[in-house]
Amino acid sequence: MTTGAAFLRIEELVRATHRRPGAGYLALVLLSAAAAAFGGWCWALMIRDGMWRTGLNRPVNWGTFITNFVFWVGIAHSGTLISAILLLFRARFRTAVYRVAEAMTVIAVTTAGLFPVIHLGRPWLAYWLFPYPNQRGLWINFRSPLIWDVFAVSTYLIVSTIFLLVGIAPDAAALRVRAGGWRRRFYGFFSFGWRGTGEQWRHYTRAYLFFAAFATPLVVSVHSVVSWDFAVSIVPGWHSTLFPPYFVAGAILSGLAMVLTLLVPMRRLLHLEPLVTPRHLDMLSRLLLLTALVVAYFYAVEYALSLLRGPLPERSTFLDRATGRYAPLFWMMLAANFAGPLLLFSARVRRSPKALFFIALGVNVGMWFERFIIIAGSLSHDRLPFLWRGYAPSWVELGITLGAFGWFFFWFLLFVKLLPSVSIAEMKVQAVEEAPRDA
Amino acid sequence: MGERNETGFSFGRRVVLKLLAAAGALAGCSPRPDVEKLVPYLVPPEHAVPGEPLEYRTLCRECAAGCGVTAATQAGRAVKLEGNPDDPIGRGALCARGQAAVQALYDPERASAPLRRAPDGRLAPITWDEAVGQLAAALAAAKAKGRGRIRLLTRPEPGSAGVVQRAFLHALGAGAEHRVVFDPLDPAPLRAASKALFGRPEIPAHDLGAARAVVSFGAELLETWISPVELTRGFAQGRGQVGPERPRFTWIGPRLSLTGASADRWLSVRPGGELAVALGLLRFITDPSRRAPGLAPEAPSLFRLVKALSPAELAARAGTSSARIAALGVELVRKRPSALLGPGLSSQGTDATALAAVILLLNHVLGNVGRTLLYGLDPLDDPPSSPSAPAALVEEMAAGRVDVLLVHHADLLGWLPPALGADRALTRVPLVASFADRPDATRARAHLVLPDHHPLESFGDVAPRRGVVLFGQPVMTPLGDTRAASQVLIDVAARPPLGTPLPFDGFGALVRERAERLVRAHGAGAPVVDSVREAFQRGVVTWEVKPAVVSLRVGAAEPFLAPPPSPPGAALELVVFPTPLRAGAAADRPGWLREVPDALTTLSWIGWAELSPATAARLGVATGDRLALATAAGGAELPAYVYPGILDGVVAVPLGGRDPLALLGGARDPRSGALAWRAVLASAARAGPGAPLPRLEGSAYTEGRRITRTVTPAEPALPRPSGEEAMYGPPEHPKHRWSMAIDLDRCTGCQACVVACFAENNVPVMGPQAAAEGRYMGWIRVERYFGSEPGELDVELMLMLCQHCANAPCEPVCPVYATYHTAEGLNAQVYNRCVGTRYCSNNCPYKVRTFNWRDPEFAPPLHMQLNPDVAVRSKGVMEKCTFCVQRIRRAEHRARREGRALADGDIVPACAQACPARAIVFGDAKDPASRVSALRRDPRGFAALDELNTQPAITYLARVRSGR
C-alpha cells in the first residue's frame, strides 16, 4: 500500500463514522437526552423542596452526589494520561485511542463539575465559591479543600479542553476539504484556520507537546486535590496521608476502564477495527492490569495501616467496612477492582474484546462502590457511635446519577458523530513511519 | 357611556360615579377588612420597648406540682417560659412540660370560639351568648329534675377556680360529692397510707437536699413524681461530691427508669417486688439484734409485727437476694437522714397503699419524718377525689342518672382504661360540656365546647404548698374568642332561667381579692408582701410554715405488714411507666414534647414496648418489630424496643395515648382506690416487621471511645491531656471566652434544656418521618450510652451540643467562611453566608450541626411563638447551638446601659436557665473568678473526645460512680 492510499484509507475510515446516523444511533441519542432531562427534573425537584429529597442525613451528609463527583473526575483522568503522558513517553499504541480518551476527559470533567453544585444546599449561590470582587466584602476561605477543588477542577477543564481542540485542528481541516454544507463551516471552525503549512506543523507539534507537558502534572494534582476533600478532614476512613496517590491511582484505573468500556463497542459499531487493533486493546489492558495492581497495593496499605497501627475509631471504621452495613459493596468492590483485572494476566483474555468489556465495566462499577464506601461508609461510622446511621440514595439521587450518565453519553455520542474520534494526522504519521517496515 | 376624546378613552362623570359606587358596594361586601397593623400600638404601653422582652410572672398548670413561671413576651406575644426564681417550688427552673406550655398556647388545633355539636355530629362555632344560654337552660332543667343530675369533673383547682366551682355547684343545689376531682397521676396510695399511719391524708413534702441516702421504690422523682423540679433540685444538691459525703441513691424496680439511670445502684425486683423489699428492709432495720442506733421508739413493736416474715422468703418474692436487701439496710442504718420514696406510677399495683405504708414506716423508724419527709405542708386545698370516683361517675352516667356533665381539664376518656366503659357511658349523658381549649378524647364527644383561656391568657392562683400561693395573670390578649372557665361558670349561674348569681364580681376580681387577703394578713408567719401589685409582680406570695410534728399509730400499721403475695408464675408481666415527655394524655402533647426523643430509648413521636434482650430472643422479636400485646382487658400493638435495663419476663409500656390504658383492666389498689398500672399479659407475640423507628441513637454503646467518663472515690480525678501543639496557634480571646461546664453527675436527662432550646432558638419540629430519617433538628441532645460494649449495663447520659472548640474542625473546611471563630470564643454560624456544602457537619466529631433539609414549617399561629431575637433558618443552611448569642448580646447591652462591667451570671443560656438540677453553668473562662472557670479546673473535668485536641469551650464534669 502506498502512503497516499493509506492516507486516503484513514480519512475514509474516519469519515465513515460521520455518515448519516442510523436509527440505532438516534435512539441512543434520544435515550441519553431523555435520561439527562430526567436528571434535570429530579434536580429541579430538589431545588424546590430542599435536600429533603435525598437520602442524606446526619451523619451521612455526603453520599451519591459526591461519589459521582469523584467518579467522574476519576473517569476524566485517563484521557490525559493516555493522551499526554503516553505522548511524552512516546508510546505508539496511544495514537488510535487518545482522541476518544481526550473527548471523554472533557465531557467527564463537565459532568463531574455539575455535582459539587447539585449537592449544595443552596445551589443558586454556587458562585460564592469563586473569588470575585464584590461590594459585600465577601471572600472565600482558602483553607477549605472545597475551594482547592474549585480551582483544580476548573483548571483541569480549561487545560483538557484546549488540549482536545488543539489536537482536533489538523483533522478538522482534513475533513473540511471533502465536506460540504454546514459540515464545511463546522469543520472550518474547528480547524482554526489550519492550512497545513510547515510553519503551522512546527507550531502545532510544539504546542501539543507543551500542553501535554502542562497537563501531565494536572493528572496527579487534580485528583490529589480531590482526595484532600477527604484527607484534610478528621473523619476516620478519610483522614489519611495515603489518599493523594491512592486516589490518583484509582482515578487512572477507573479512567482506563471507562476508555475500554467505550472503545470496545465503539470500535465495533463505527467499524474502526482496522485502526483500533487488538494490539491497542492489549496494551490498554496491560495498563489496566498494572493500575489495578497499584490500587490493590494501596488497598492493602490502607487497611493494614489502620487495622494494625490505627487509633480505635480508625480500626472500627475499617472493620465496619468489611463486616458492617456496606460489607456487600466492599467485597464486590474488591472482586471487581482486584480479582477481575487479575484475569488480564492471561493473553487470551486480553485479546478478547468481550472479556475486556466486562472486566472494564466491572472496574467502573467497583470504582463507584469504592468511592461510595469511602464517602458514605466512613461518615456512617464516625467518631460518635450515638450518631451512627446508614444511608441509601433516594430515587431523586439515583435519577440525577442516571441523568449524569445521560448527559455524558449525549455529548459523547454527538462527539463521535461530528468530530474525528481517531486522530487522522497522527495515524498518517504512524502510517508513514511504519511504511518502510510494511514494504 | 361617556364621549370619546382623541385618545379613545374617556370617563364621563356618570361612569366615574358608577364605578365609585360599585367599588364602595364591593368593599362593603368584604366579610372582614383585611387590614393588619404593622405597628400594633398607637399609644404604646409604658414598659413595652420594642425588641426588649417584657416579662410577667404567672403560673404553670401542666401538672399538679404547681410551679411559678416567668413569661417573656415580645410585641405582645408570649415567646418563652422560664421558672420564677421567687417561687420556692421551682426556684427559677422549669421542666420540659412546663417549657412546652407556651407552644400549647399557639396550638393550631385550639378552639377559637365556643362550639356546639350540630345535628350532623360536627362541632360548629356559636356565640358565647348562645353557649351560656344553652348551658344555663340545660342546667336549670337538670336542677329541676332533682339532686345529682349535674356533675362537674375537674382537675384539682387549689385556688379561686376551685372556690368558683364549689360555689357554682352549691348554687345549683349540688353537693361536694357531685364534683369529681380527677388527677390520674395523683399518688393516692401515699395519701391513704399517710392518713392511716399519721392521721394526715397528705402528700408529704420532701427535702432531698438533707438526705444522705435516697431510696426510690419505683417513684419517678426526677421525671414526673409529685413535684419533679423541686425533687430534682434537692436530689442534685448532694451530687458532684466524690467522697463518703455523697448521698447514695438506690433505685428499686423491675425497670431501670430515667430516674433509675441517675441512681448509684439498681436493685432489680420483679413487678410488685418492691413491697417485699420494703418489708425485708423494715425487718432488717428494726431487728433488735442489730442494735441499730437512734431508731424511732416504735421500732421494737414494729419488729414484732414483721418478725414472722422470713428474709429469704421476702427476697425470693421480690426476685432478689436477701444479701442485697441487707446491704441496703446496713447503708440506711449508717447514712442518716435518708429519704425513702414511693410508690411511683410503675410500682403502683394492687398493694400500693401497703407499699406506701411500709415506706413511711421505714422513714419513721429511721427518723426521716420531720427531717426529709415533711408533713403539714400539703395545703389540702383541693385534693383529688378518691381515684375510684371517676369510675363511680362513669357507672352513674351509664345508668342514666346524669343529665349535665361539665368537664374541666380532666380528660376522662383519655385517662380511664377503656375497660371501664366511659366511652359508652358518655352516650347516656344528654349534655356534655367541655372547657378544654385543645382537642382531647373527651372533648371529641362533648355537645358543647366552652374553650377556656390558656393559663398565659388568664388570671389564676394556685397553692401548691402551705405557705406558698402562686398568682397568675394574663400575659397577652387571648388569641381566640375564649373565656376563663371560672368566668363562664359565674356567667352561667347568673343567666336566666338559672338565675342564681354567685357572690363574685368576676373571676379576675376574685383572684385579686385573694391576693388582697394575703396582703392584709399580719402577725406571726404572715406573708411577706406589701401590695396586690407586688403579689402579681412577684407571681408568688410566701410565708413561713413549720412542718407538723406527727406521731405514728402503731396499731394502724399492722394490716399493711402482711406477707406480700407470691409472684404469678411464668406469665409475662406488663408495667406502665411515665416519662418526663409523656406524662400528659397523648392528644394534648405539644409538638416539642413529641419531637424531643425519650432519653432512654431515643424514640420520639410514638409509644413503644420495652423488653429485655432475653425476653426478646424468646419471643423472636427485634427492636422495631411490631409486638402484639394482649391482656384480659384488651390488646395493643406497639413497636418493640429491646432494652437491657429491664428484667426478663417484663414488658414495659410508656404512658401516653390509648395503648397502655387499653391493656389495663382497671384493677385497683383496694385501700386507696388507685389504679394499678400493672397487668399480667395473656400473650405477647411478634406481629410482623415495623416501619423504620423515629429513633435518634445509632449505637447504644461508646464502643470503647472516650466520650463519657466516670470517677470513683478511689480515683477522684481525671488525667488532663497535655494539649498538643496545633498547626496554627490557639485563637486569641482578648476579652471573653464564653464557656460552659456541664456536671454529668447532676444531669438527670430530664430534657428540660432540650425543650427550652427549641423554644428559645426557633428550632423547628420536623415530624416522625424526619426523625426516622436522621433529620432531627435539636441543637442539644441527651446521649444515652448503656456502657462500652454490648452486654454491659452502666447507663451514662451525656448532654451533647456544639462544643465551641477553640480548634474547631468545622471552621477550616467551610469554603465561604459561613462558620468561624469569634474573638469571644464562639463558633459562629452565619446562616446568610452558608451555601450548604455540609462539610462542617461531616468534620464535626461531635455531630452537633444540623442541616435544614427543607424549609421549616410553623403552622399559624405557631409562628407567633417564634423568638424575634433569633433568625428562622431556611432550607439548605447549616445551623447549631450559638450559646444563645442573643442572650449574651442582651446582657452586654444591659450592662453597658447600666454603666457597669458584665458580672458572672449575667448571661444564662436557655438550657442552663431551665435546668432543675443546675447541672449547666455558663460564664467567661477568661475571668478566673467566674464559676465556670472554677469548674473548668475541677478534678472531674474533661473534654469530650479530647484525643482530637479540639479544645472545646465545654467542660464536662464526670459522673461519680461509687462502686457497685
Side-chain angles (χ1 to χ4, degrees):
Chain A
M1 209 193 296
T2 65
T3 18
F7 280 17
L8 211 58
R9 194 173 128 71
I10 291 166
E11 277 183 35
E12 279 309 317
L13 276 171
V14 173
R15 187 168 298 112
T17 63
H18 294 165
R19 269 201 293 265
R20 178 165 286 281
Y25 174 84
L26 283 179
L28 280 178
V29 172
L30 269 180
L31 196 69
S32 45
F38 178 68
W41 181 66
C42 286
W43 189 19
L45 280 183
M46 219 171 67
I47 290 173
R48 192 192 66 183
D49 301 341
M51 301 300 277
W52 187 254
R53 288 284 190 175
T54 67
L56 296 169
N57 56 42
R58 180 177 64 172
V60 188
N61 285 289
W62 288 357
T64 305
F65 295 146
I66 299 295
T67 303
N68 285 340
F69 167 67
V70 182
F71 177 78
W72 285 109
V73 175
I75 298 292
H77 268 67
S78 61
T80 316
L81 174 93
I82 289 173
S83 153
I85 300 183
L86 296 186
L87 176 78
L88 297 179
F89 281 106
R90 309 263 178 242
R92 277 171 177 284
F93 69 88
R94 77 175 262 287
T95 317
V97 296
Y98 84 89
R99 176 67 46 73
V100 170
E102 274 178 18
M104 202 186 78
T105 295
V106 173
I107 301 170
V109 177
T110 320
T111 314
L114 293 175
F115 280 100
V117 178
I118 292 174
H119 109 290
L120 287 184
R122 305 204 287 175
W124 49 91
L125 300 177
Y127 66 97
W128 285 5
L129 292 165
F130 289 94
Y132 66 100
N134 61 78
Q135 72 277 36
R136 287 165 295 170
L138 301 178
W139 197 238
I140 52 172
N141 180 5
F142 281 101
R143 284 194 297 165
S144 170
L146 298 185
I147 288 298
W148 310 341
D149 256 3
V150 170
F151 286 97
V153 173
S154 51
T155 308
Y156 193 55
L157 177 65
I158 293 166
V159 171
S160 58
T161 309
I162 294 174
F163 196 47
L164 174 71
L165 291 178
V166 167
I168 280 179
D171 294 0
L175 292 172
R176 178 172 164 271
V177 175
R178 297 199 191 182
W182 66 269
R183 273 184 190 270
R184 198 176 165 77
R185 282 200 302 282
F186 181 75
Y187 294 127
F189 173 78
F190 280 100
S191 60
F192 303 111
W194 182 266
R195 287 172 190 284
T197 62
E199 184 78 349
Q200 278 182 335
W201 275 112
R202 201 164 60 80
H203 284 156
Y204 167 81
T205 19
R206 289 181 66 178
Y208 199 69
L209 205 63
F210 171 73
F211 279 118
F214 192 69
T216 303
L218 282 184
V219 173
V220 178
S221 74
V222 173
H223 226 75
S224 298
V225 170
V226 168
S227 81
W228 288 337
D229 283 352
F230 309 104
V232 165
S233 81
I234 59 166
V235 178
W238 286 11
H239 180 66
S240 162
T241 48
L242 182 73
F243 263 38
Y246 174 27
F247 266 52
V248 171
I252 294 168
L253 177 65
S254 65
L256 281 172
M258 192 57 143
V259 171
L260 274 173
T261 316
L262 294 180
L263 202 59
V264 170
M266 204 178 90
R267 141 181 200 277
R268 174 96 177 270
L269 296 173
L270 300 177
H271 310 292
L272 290 174
E273 286 99 336
L275 296 187
V276 185
T277 61
R279 195 181 82 87
H280 291 126
L281 294 183
D282 184 27
M283 298 312 277
L284 273 182
S285 48
R286 284 176 196 220
L287 204 53
L288 184 77
L289 174 59
L290 175 71
T291 337
L293 291 178
V294 172
V295 168
Y297 170 73
F298 283 126
Y299 287 161
V301 173
E302 189 190 16
Y303 303 150
L305 279 184
S306 26
L307 288 176
L308 300 178
R309 309 306 289 273
L312 173 72
E314 199 82 17
R315 264 180 292 152
S316 170
T317 294
F318 280 91
L319 279 178
D320 182 66
R321 278 193 193 169
T323 60
R325 196 173 271 126
Y326 297 118
L329 293 189
F330 174 80
W331 294 110
M332 269 153 73
M333 168 198 99
L334 279 191
N337 292 354
F338 177 60
L342 284 186
L343 295 174
L344 297 175
F345 272 117
S346 145
R348 238 185 57 214
V349 175
R350 288 205 302 272
R351 298 219 165 239
S352 151
K354 215 176 268 174
L356 279 183
F357 176 76
F358 284 108
I359 289 170
L361 199 64
V363 171
N364 277 319
V365 175
M367 285 309 293
W368 197 93
F369 283 170
E370 182 204 292
R371 277 71 174 253
F372 184 86
I373 290 164
I374 289 175
I375 292 165
S378 304
L379 288 174
S380 72
H381 199 87
D382 197 9
R383 291 179 188 273
L384 207 67
F386 189 75
L387 282 189
W388 284 350
R389 182 180 282 275
Y391 155 82
S394 72
W395 68 265
V396 169
E397 285 171 285
L398 295 176
I400 291 174
T401 305
L402 180 75
F405 280 94
W407 164 272
F408 175 84
F409 282 108
F410 177 75
W411 293 112
F412 191 79
L413 286 167
L414 287 194
F415 169 81
V416 297
K417 209 65 201 168
L418 293 173
L419 286 168
S421 46
V422 174
S423 167
I424 301 171
E426 292 203 27
M427 288 303 284
K428 284 177 181 169
V429 172
Q430 209 170 341
V432 173
E433 286 170 354
E434 283 169 5
R437 263 172 299 183
D438 289 346
Chain B
M1 298 295 275
E3 301 153 24
R4 281 172 178 274
N5 61 13
E6 307 89 82
T7 58
F9 291 100
S10 141
F11 286 106
R13 183 179 47 85
R14 285 165 170 268
V15 177
V16 170
L17 284 176
K18 276 182 203 164
L19 282 173
L20 276 175
L26 284 173
C29 293
S30 168
R32 197 174 161 182
D34 198 13
V35 176
E36 285 193 46
K37 291 177 192 132
L38 270 177
V39 180
Y41 305 123
L42 191 60
V43 181
E46 202 176 335
H47 300 294
V49 182
E52 202 44 34
L54 187 59
E55 290 179 345
Y56 295 92
R57 296 279 170 81
T58 182
L59 44 86
C60 173
R61 295 306 319 268
E62 292 299 305
C63 78
C67 295
V69 298
T70 308
T73 65
Q74 296 232 32
R77 285 159 187 168
V79 295
K80 178 80 171 56
L81 293 187
E82 295 185 346
N84 175 354
D86 292 326
D87 161 34
I89 309 286
R91 289 222 193 131
L94 194 60
C95 72
R97 290 167 68 200
Q99 295 279 347
V102 70
Q103 207 190 22
L105 168 67
Y106 299 106
D107 190 336
E109 303 274 298
R110 266 187 82 189
S112 57
L115 305 167
R116 178 167 56 194
R117 197 166 297 282
D120 64 356
R122 277 199 218 136
L123 286 170
I126 52 170
T127 65
W128 274 106
D129 193 51
E130 286 176 86
V132 168
Q134 187 184 351
L135 187 57
L139 286 168
K143 184 184 172 190
K145 276 172 94 176
R147 242 174 99 83
R149 312 295 300 187
I150 300 164
R151 303 300 173 96
L152 174 62
L153 180 74
T154 174
R155 70 178 171 198
E157 285 290 0
S160 302
V163 172
V164 172
Q165 288 180 359
R166 285 187 289 267
F168 177 78
L169 285 181
H170 183 74
L172 289 176
E177 72 277 17
H178 299 128
R179 178 169 176 269
V180 175
V181 184
F182 181 39
D183 177 7
L185 299 183
D186 182 56
L190 193 52
R191 266 180 219 284
S194 296
K195 185 177 179 196
L197 296 180
F198 301 117
R200 287 179 166 271
E202 292 179 17
I203 305 280
H206 298 90
D207 181 8
L208 293 190
R212 295 192 56 223
V214 177
V215 180
S216 171
F217 293 82
E220 302 86 0
L221 63 140
L222 306 177
E223 300 169 78
T224 53
W225 196 64
I226 302 182
S227 187
V229 172
E230 187 188 18
L231 289 169
T232 303
R233 186 181 61 244
F235 166 80
Q237 270 177 31
R239 303 285 273 198
Q241 307 174 86
V242 184
E245 67 278 14
R246 175 189 162 85
R248 217 170 135 80
F249 178 27
T250 305
W251 170 258
I252 301 174
R255 171 184 177 271
L256 191 66
S257 67
L258 185 59
T259 301
S262 289
D264 299 290
R265 162 171 49 195
W266 174 30
L267 187 61
S268 60
V269 298
R270 63 163 196 84
E274 295 91 350
L275 178 57
V277 173
L279 284 168
L281 279 176
L282 188 62
R283 192 189 183 286
F284 182 88
I285 290 168
T286 55
D287 189 341
S289 67
R290 225 153 250 115
R291 293 200 191 83
L295 295 185
E298 294 90 344
S301 43
L302 285 173
F303 181 70
R304 278 195 295 280
L305 295 173
V306 290
K307 198 176 164 190
L309 301 173
S310 132
E313 176 77 1
L314 287 174
R317 289 191 179 180
T320 181
S321 72
S322 50
R324 295 194 75 188
I325 297 177
L328 182 55
V330 168
E331 182 182 299
L332 286 174
V333 168
R334 202 161 41 83
K335 289 202 156 205
R336 285 199 267 169
S338 54
L340 292 87
L341 313 173
L345 200 71
S346 62
S347 56
Q348 187 170 307
T350 48
D351 50 11
T353 305
L355 174 59
V358 181
I359 293 170
L360 288 178
L361 287 173
L362 280 165
N363 277 314
H364 181 80
V365 166
L366 290 166
N368 299 337
V369 178
R371 294 170 79 185
T372 60
L373 229 72
L374 308 173
Y375 277 98
L377 297 181
D378 189 338
L380 296 175
D381 196 338
D382 195 25
S385 315
S386 157
S388 55
L393 174 65
V394 166
E395 275 171 33
E396 295 214 44
M397 278 156 48
R401 288 201 285 272
V402 178
D403 284 344
V404 179
L405 176 68
L406 302 170
V407 187
H408 177 78
H409 301 288
D411 185 6
L412 194 67
L413 282 188
W415 276 112
L416 281 190
L420 295 178
D423 199 30
R424 280 242 323 282
L426 268 184
T427 58
R428 302 288 313 272
V429 182
L431 183 75
V432 177
S434 168
F435 292 103
D437 61 333
R438 287 186 294 147
D440 63 30
T442 311
R443 203 192 88 166
R445 303 286 304 279
H447 306 100
L448 206 52
V449 178
L450 308 156
D452 193 0
H453 286 326
H454 187 277
L456 293 175
E457 300 167 331
S458 175
F459 280 103
D461 56 332
V462 160
R465 177 153 308 159
R466 285 190 58 208
V468 181
V469 175
L470 297 163
F471 286 99
Q473 57 183 319
V475 307
M476 58 187 274
T477 330
L479 281 176
D481 186 14
T482 54
R483 268 188 205 181
S486 301
Q487 185 61 49
V488 173
L489 291 184
I490 293 172
D491 294 348
V492 168
R495 176 74 165 250
L498 215 49
T500 49
L502 305 183
F504 315 120
D505 294 337
F507 182 59
L510 188 65
V511 175
R512 277 192 294 274
E513 252 172 54
R514 182 166 191 196
E516 265 165 38
R517 276 203 305 281
L518 291 175
V519 172
R520 280 201 304 272
H522 287 293
V528 206
V529 63
D530 293 330
S531 65
V532 172
R533 192 185 170 84
E534 192 195 329
F536 279 95
Q537 271 180 351
R538 277 168 53 92
V540 61
V541 174
T542 54
W543 65 95
E544 178 82 26
V545 176
K546 288 254 181 309
V549 177
V550 295
S551 54
L552 177 70
R553 306 170 182 172
V554 182
E558 191 169 358
F560 298 117
L561 301 176
S566 322
L572 282 176
E573 286 182 86
L574 174 81
V575 175
V576 178
F577 61 93
T579 80
L581 304 172
R582 297 179 64 88
D588 60 358
R589 284 203 300 146
W592 293 334
L593 298 186
R594 295 162 191 248
E595 178 84 356
V596 173
D598 173 61
L600 279 183
T601 59
T602 77
L603 292 167
S604 51
W605 289 94
I606 54 166
W608 65 92
E610 289 173 8
L611 60 180
S612 73
T615 312
R618 186 157 62 82
L619 299 176
V621 178
T623 295
D625 287 349
R626 309 275 324 158
L627 185 66
L629 301 173
T631 61
E637 205 176 283
L638 287 160
Y641 183 85
V642 178
Y643 177 46
I646 189 168
L647 227 57
D648 292 340
V650 180
V651 177
V653 174
L655 202 64
R658 300 295 282 160
D659 292 323
L661 293 169
L663 291 165
L664 297 175
R668 287 174 185 283
D669 165 32
R671 288 191 178 101
S672 66
L675 191 67
W677 292 93
R678 283 207 296 260
V680 174
L681 283 171
S683 73
R686 185 176 184 274
L693 288 180
R695 179 185 178 194
L696 186 59
E697 74 179 339
S699 168
Y701 298 89
T702 58
E703 314 274 342
R705 296 160 195 224
R706 285 197 308 194
I707 298 163
T708 65
R709 308 279 192 87
T710 53
V711 294
T712 59
E715 283 175 88
L718 290 171
R720 292 266 162 175
S722 56
E724 300 155 50
E725 278 296 307
M727 186 164 157
Y728 306 99
E732 301 258 311
H733 302 114
K735 258 175 94 182
H736 305 291
R737 186 185 182 194
W738 303 122
S739 299
M740 188 180 267
I742 300 175
D743 192 338
L744 298 179
D745 202 39
R746 287 166 172 258
C747 174
T748 65
C750 72
Q751 314 261 30
C753 53
V754 182
V755 178
C757 182
F758 268 77
E760 172 76 16
N761 291 304
N762 303 336
V763 178
V765 171
M766 302 302 277
Q769 197 200 345
E773 288 169 349
R775 288 158 175 183
Y776 170 68
M777 297 296 289
W779 285 2
I780 175 171
R781 61 175 183 261
V782 178
E783 292 192 354
R784 182 273 298 115
Y785 292 103
F786 288 141
S788 180
E789 305 289 338
E792 291 182 13
L793 183 64
D794 202 354
V795 178
E796 302 280 354
L797 300 172
M798 174 91 168
L799 277 186
M800 190 51 85
L801 63 160
C802 176
Q803 306 281 310
H804 294 272
C805 312
N807 196 3
C810 56
E811 287 164 10
V813 298
C814 175
V816 292
Y817 279 123
T819 186
Y820 70 101
H821 200 73
T822 72
E824 297 186 350
L826 298 179
N827 173 257
Q829 175 75 22
V830 188
Y831 307 127
N832 280 345
R833 185 64 173 136
C834 178
V835 297
T837 68
R838 305 185 295 289
Y839 199 168
C840 52
S841 176
N842 285 344
N843 214 28
C844 173
Y846 308 101
K847 288 287 172 282
V848 289
R849 296 177 148 260
T850 58
F851 184 69
N852 282 276
W853 301 100
R854 62 168 159 82
D855 276 326
E857 284 165 30
F858 299 94
L862 278 173
H863 65 291
M864 291 188 188
Q865 184 274 324
L866 293 174
N867 184 353
D869 294 340
V870 178
V872 173
R873 286 76 59 185
S874 61
K875 73 180 174 214
V877 304
M878 193 60 79
E879 62 180 62
K880 58 160 199 82
C881 161
T882 62
F883 267 174
C884 285
V885 65
Q886 68 279 7
R887 290 183 175 224
I888 298 178
R889 296 291 166 259
R890 169 161 295 141
E892 283 174 345
H893 292 163
R894 192 165 287 162
R896 198 176 307 143
R897 251 198 335 267
E898 293 166 9
R900 60 181 175 86
L902 267 178
D904 189 32
D906 274 358
I907 307 167
V908 187
C911 54
Q913 200 288 326
C915 182
R918 294 284 172 254
I920 307 176
V921 173
F922 184 84
D924 184 1
K926 293 280 280 187
D927 171 11
S930 69
R931 280 179 69 210
V932 79
S933 290
L935 291 171
R936 279 168 84 83
R937 295 187 294 264
D938 192 289
R940 288 190 293 132
F942 72 94
L945 299 175
D946 59 5
E947 71 270 23
L948 296 173
N949 194 30
T950 51
Q951 300 169 14
I954 294 184
T955 304
Y956 292 95
L957 303 185
R959 170 96 186 253
V960 180
R961 290 279 183 212
S962 49
R964 297 301 98 187

